[in-house]
Amino acid sequence: MIIGKSLPRSPNFVRSRLLSLIQECETMREARQIQSHLITAGMSDDVFLASRLLFFCAVSDAGNLDYATLLFRRIGDPNLFLWNTMIRGHAIKRRSGEESNPTNAISLYKQLLAAGFLPDECTFPFVLKSCGKVLALETGRNVHGHIVKTGLLRCNAHVANALLSFYASCGDLERARKAFDEIPVPDVVSQNVMIGGYLRMGALDMAKQLFAGMSERNLVTWNTMITGFVQAGRGREALEFFHEMQRSARFDPDKITLASLISACSRLGALDQGKWIHNYMQKRGVPMDVVIETALVDMYAKCGCIKRSLEVFREMNYKDVLAWTAMINGLAVHGQGEEALDVFKQMLVEGKCKPNQVTFTGVLCACTHSGLVAEGRQYFQTMRSIYSIEPQPQHYACMVDLLGRAGLFGEAELLISNMPVEPDVFVWGALLGGCKMHGNLELGETVAQRLLSLEPLNHAFYVQLSNLYAKANRFEDAKKLRTTMKDKGIKKIPGCSLIEVDGLVHEFSVHVSHDPLMEEIKIVLEKVTRELKLAGYVPDVKEVLLEIDDNEKEQSLLQHSERLALAFGLMKTEAGSPIRIIKNLRICSDCHVAFKFISKIFKREVIVRDCKRFHHFEGGHCSCKDYW
Ligand code: ZN
Ligand code: ZN
């Protein structure tokens, strides 16, 4: 900054020099220097210069709100432009990371009114944005009233959209819709805001309806739809929107679209589509960052391709704690406990980031799925002693799971009794799982009763208790339990399995299946079952609760969603290629046995992701070594 001693004396020259300095100002350091020049030149009361400098400090990315406030207070009689600048400064989030301060923006708005100013089209959008952020519905409605008085609503799209957006972020869909309907010609921005509001409130079909009727769509429209549907767990439709967007060929997906889509593929286990998106990014040279790469690591792991997941992970230039954690978790659910712990150790050796709570959940989960009791104990200890992370219920649940599976019930119970918070259903559920595994009926009964008192309508706990009774040949008790379930009207969560064939995700469940191929699938299943029996497979009917005779129970096993999906996979994929299935519940023990046989007889690798972990069936064995 060249200014100072050599400055000529003419006030006009000084003023225009200072003005151009303000216009070129890029850092707060320069802004502070300019302010001291203003003072030494005796121009600190020049409202125009002060307001330009204030604008830089309050609104620009390099600005600083505290300093802006200081400048604002120095100005004796601020005009509307200055008030608006301050409100805007508090309402926005800066790229420098400085957070917005909506409460201050609202309070400035009230001061502005008290000072007798009439707010204008530059005031309203930012005060409404702030009201929406802190859900200040009452204040926002007052602002709505002020806007009506100014008559801006009908002629200013910014103001109308801001009002709509405010009601949508407060979850007041009725008022949002009213504001929307009052806009004479809603533009694509208004429609996007309305769609976003619907999606946030879970009114997905309303969003779809509005979307369908849009004559013009932009990238934000597509992103809003895709992201909204992914977040609502309706990934299949999200992918369909993406294909539609591709067909319309007017937009290329950006990073937001791609990240949402990768996450949809992870949930659905849609490996082919996930790979396609990865290829697309490579071909188009979409710049990678740690967020996208971590999403890919997670996607490949969740789609059963742990090798590819590791490759992406190893190629990453920069890894943050989320990236390490995604890799540890991925290996853990694939039962590669030792490898997961190796990655964890490597993270500690590199020392660039510290493990957090989620990392430890992954580490303990790795120990659990691989039965590494000593390691689990040690890591659980170090959480607190080395990393000062207080173990949470989910960490206790992992430990109880680990100890319960190893039959160390005394230690598990001691751990639970020492918990600083009340154990939740996951902790007790883990203990019940151990009891079932080791046929510990005595403890199992007590634990199950506890679970049922916590969640009296949870079907899974009844099933587990009933299995426990069946294992101990206490069929009378199992029967009683069934009656209780019927009386209480407890319904099973329907099992649902997904399989991707030729880039399309197909969904199977016991009762509802709209697949026209259902008859064909059933014929294949019967053929498969005949071959299984010849190979020595005996259906395990213990897990079937409600049926009467064994024959009927067997039929019921045949309709399990994972079986239907597998049969479909056998029909529709090339001989020898792996079959990947995602199930919403745990795979049942009978299907587990059957899939081992199938992997051997049909020489197919079968990869099942259930709600707990992965099972890789190959040559008659499962990667879980039946330890699940
Ligand atoms: Zn099954
Ligand atoms: Zn298994």
Side-chain angles (χ1 to χ4, degrees):
M1 185 170 298
I2 313 146
I3 192 167
K5 283 175 194 162
S6 57
L7 212 64
R9 304 271 160 168
S10 148
N12 269 343
F13 183 86
V14 176
R15 193 168 182 274
S16 71
R17 182 84 184 99
L18 281 167
L19 183 59
S20 68
L21 280 177
I22 293 170
Q23 279 159 349
E24 286 159 18
C25 178
E26 276 176 356
T27 63
M28 272 313 294
R29 204 171 147 255
E30 289 170 9
R32 287 194 173 92
Q33 285 177 359
I34 294 170
Q35 171 63 9
S36 43
H37 289 312
L38 283 174
I39 294 170
T40 40
M43 291 193 179
S44 61
D45 291 331
D46 185 311
V47 176
F48 183 73
L49 290 180
S51 63
R52 296 325 298 174
L53 186 61
L54 180 71
F55 189 86
F56 172 82
C57 299
V59 176
S60 74
D61 273 328
N64 177 301
L65 213 44
D66 287 338
Y67 194 71
T69 308
L70 213 75
L71 292 181
F72 183 69
R73 291 217 182 103
R74 278 184 51 98
I75 300 167
D77 188 16
N79 57 24
L80 186 58
F81 175 82
L82 288 165
W83 282 105
N84 283 348
T85 305
M86 286 308 285
I87 291 174
R88 179 169 165 189
H90 282 94
I92 56 170
K93 188 178 184 254
R94 245 165 292 268
R95 225 175 303 157
S96 61
E98 198 180 3
E99 284 299 323
S100 66
N101 193 332
T103 323
N104 274 357
I106 295 169
S107 130
L108 280 162
Y109 176 74
K110 289 178 179 164
Q111 291 170 40
L112 167 152
L113 293 178
F117 284 99
L118 210 61
D120 65 4
E121 70 272 16
C122 298
T123 327
F124 292 127
F126 295 104
V127 70
L128 282 171
K129 190 185 168 90
S130 303
C131 290
K133 255 193 201 142
V134 292
L135 305 182
L137 196 59
E138 196 59 40
T139 314
R141 273 190 213 147
N142 289 336
V143 177
H144 185 173
H146 303 155
I147 299 173
V148 172
K149 274 186 210 153
T150 61
L152 278 169
L153 211 46
R154 298 202 143 261
C155 59
N156 190 301
H158 278 305
V159 174
N161 286 339
L163 187 67
L164 168 58
S165 180
F166 156 72
Y167 282 124
S169 18
C170 288
D172 189 339
L173 280 187
E174 211 176 298
R175 280 204 172 77
R177 183 72 210 204
K178 204 164 163 272
F180 179 73
D181 290 336
E182 277 170 11
I183 301 172
V185 188
D187 59 5
V188 64
V189 179
S190 335
Q191 287 172 316
N192 288 347
V193 171
M194 196 63 229
I195 286 179
Y198 280 139
L199 290 171
R200 241 194 325 270
M201 295 304 289
L204 272 66
D205 294 329
M206 296 293 277
K208 243 179 158 172
Q209 207 181 351
L210 186 56
F211 175 79
M214 283 173 81
S215 55
E216 187 204 335
R217 295 165 183 162
N218 59 18
L219 188 58
V220 178
T221 321
W222 290 102
N223 279 350
T224 309
M225 287 302 278
I226 291 169
T227 313
F229 273 77
V230 171
Q231 277 164 358
R234 281 166 64 171
R236 257 167 58 139
E237 282 152 283
L239 286 174
E240 281 163 23
F241 284 127
F242 175 60
H243 294 313
E244 205 183 324
M245 170 178 164
Q246 289 266 292
R247 279 194 299 273
S248 81
R250 289 186 46 213
F251 301 105
D252 282 336
D254 67 359
K255 252 192 205 169
I256 302 174
T257 331
L258 294 167
S260 292
L261 288 166
I262 296 170
S263 139
C265 294
S266 308
R267 287 198 207 183
L268 293 166
L271 181 62
D272 287 347
Q273 306 198 48
K275 274 184 187 163
W276 187 91
I277 291 164
H278 190 185
N279 275 338
Y280 175 93
M281 291 197 292
Q282 284 171 332
K283 260 192 255 157
R284 295 284 177 108
V286 177
M288 290 285 176
D289 61 17
V290 65
V291 176
I292 293 263
E293 284 170 325
T294 303
L296 285 169
V297 167
D298 185 58
M299 187 273 292
Y300 280 117
K302 289 216 172 104
C303 290
C305 257
I306 193 69
K307 261 191 206 155
R308 191 78 189 91
S309 170
L310 267 166
E311 281 167 24
V312 176
F313 180 72
R314 297 220 169 99
E315 283 164 14
M316 285 174 77
N317 285 327
Y318 164 77
K319 301 177 184 101
D320 61 5
V321 64
L322 296 177
W324 287 100
T325 302
M327 195 65 252
I328 292 167
N329 267 321
L331 288 163
V333 292
H334 278 273
Q336 301 191 12
E338 309 267 3
E339 290 82 353
L341 295 183
D342 282 344
V343 171
F344 180 60
K345 284 173 204 156
Q346 205 187 325
M347 167 182 173
L348 298 180
V349 170
E350 284 195 13
K352 282 178 191 147
C353 43
K354 274 188 182 164
N356 63 19
Q357 275 186 14
V358 191
T359 321
F360 272 105
T361 309
V363 168
L364 294 176
C365 167
C367 298
T368 306
H369 288 311
S370 303
L372 305 165
V373 178
E375 287 85 346
R377 276 193 199 116
Q378 188 210 329
Y379 285 121
F380 187 72
Q381 285 300 325
T382 57
M383 272 182 80
R384 206 183 278 149
S385 62
I386 300 182
Y387 301 99
S388 317
I389 298 172
E390 194 54 41
Q392 300 299 305
Q394 68 267 27
H395 301 113
Y396 281 95
C398 285
M399 279 310 286
V400 169
D401 199 357
L402 177 63
L403 296 168
R405 282 163 195 260
L408 300 165
F409 293 108
E411 196 179 336
E413 282 186 281
L414 185 67
L415 187 70
I416 295 178
S417 64
N418 284 334
M419 277 177 70
V421 290
E422 274 301 302
D424 60 12
V425 288
F426 296 104
V427 175
W428 291 119
L431 190 56
L432 183 60
C435 292
K436 187 189 147 197
M437 190 177 252
H438 291 275
N440 186 343
L441 183 62
E442 203 186 329
L443 180 59
E445 245 185 320
T446 334
V447 174
Q449 294 305 345
R450 241 177 219 280
L451 279 165
L452 289 174
S453 71
L454 286 171
E455 276 186 20
L457 298 177
N458 191 321
H459 173 267
F461 302 149
Y462 286 95
V463 176
Q464 276 177 314
L465 183 56
S466 155
N467 287 339
L468 209 58
Y469 284 141
K471 213 168 181 175
N473 291 328
R474 278 172 54 181
F475 296 108
E476 271 309 302
D477 289 307
K479 216 171 154 186
K480 256 191 247 163
L481 204 59
R482 260 173 266 163
T483 322
T484 320
M485 286 175 74
K486 247 189 197 154
D487 291 347
K488 288 190 179 171
I490 293 161
K491 292 220 174 67
K492 193 178 170 181
I493 301 172
C496 167
S497 296
L498 304 173
I499 180 170
E500 186 195 38
V501 174
D502 294 333
L504 261 184
V505 178
H506 299 259
E507 190 175 330
F508 292 93
S509 59
V510 193
H511 300 295
V512 255
S513 183
H514 303 295
D515 211 293
L517 294 160
M518 211 53 203
E519 283 311 307
E520 219 180 309
I521 289 170
K522 281 193 177 149
I523 294 166
V524 171
L525 258 187
E526 275 161 27
K527 215 174 88 193
V528 169
T529 311
R530 273 198 301 278
E531 291 211 37
L532 289 183
K533 284 188 176 165
L534 281 175
Y537 156 76
V538 183
D540 175 5
V541 292
K542 265 194 191 137
E543 294 223 351
V544 183
L545 259 180
L546 302 163
E547 283 73 26
I548 311 138
D549 62 40
D550 278 0
N551 195 14
E552 225 174 284
K553 285 184 194 175
E554 211 183 306
Q555 278 306 313
S556 157
L557 283 174
L558 277 182
Q559 287 169 16
H560 280 182
S561 64
E562 61 266 49
R563 285 276 177 119
L564 299 176
L566 182 65
F568 184 72
L570 286 172
M571 276 164 58
K572 292 286 172 187
T573 57
E574 258 172 66
S577 64
I579 296 174
R580 296 187 164 81
I581 295 167
I582 310 280
K583 192 187 175 192
N584 64 336
L585 309 172
R586 286 186 74 166
I587 182 173
C588 81
S589 58
D590 179 62
C591 287
H592 197 266
V593 175
F595 282 21
K596 284 198 278 187
F597 275 100
I598 289 169
S599 71
K600 195 176 176 188
I601 299 169
F602 296 91
K603 298 192 176 59
R604 289 282 197 131
E605 199 186 339
V606 182
I607 299 142
V608 179
R609 179 179 105 197
D610 70 7
C611 64
K612 285 264 173 179
R613 62 166 295 150
F614 273 91
H615 300 265
H616 287 250
F617 299 91
E618 207 176 356
H621 300 282
C622 179
S623 63
C624 72
K625 303 184 186 80
D626 299 330
Y627 195 84
W628 50 284

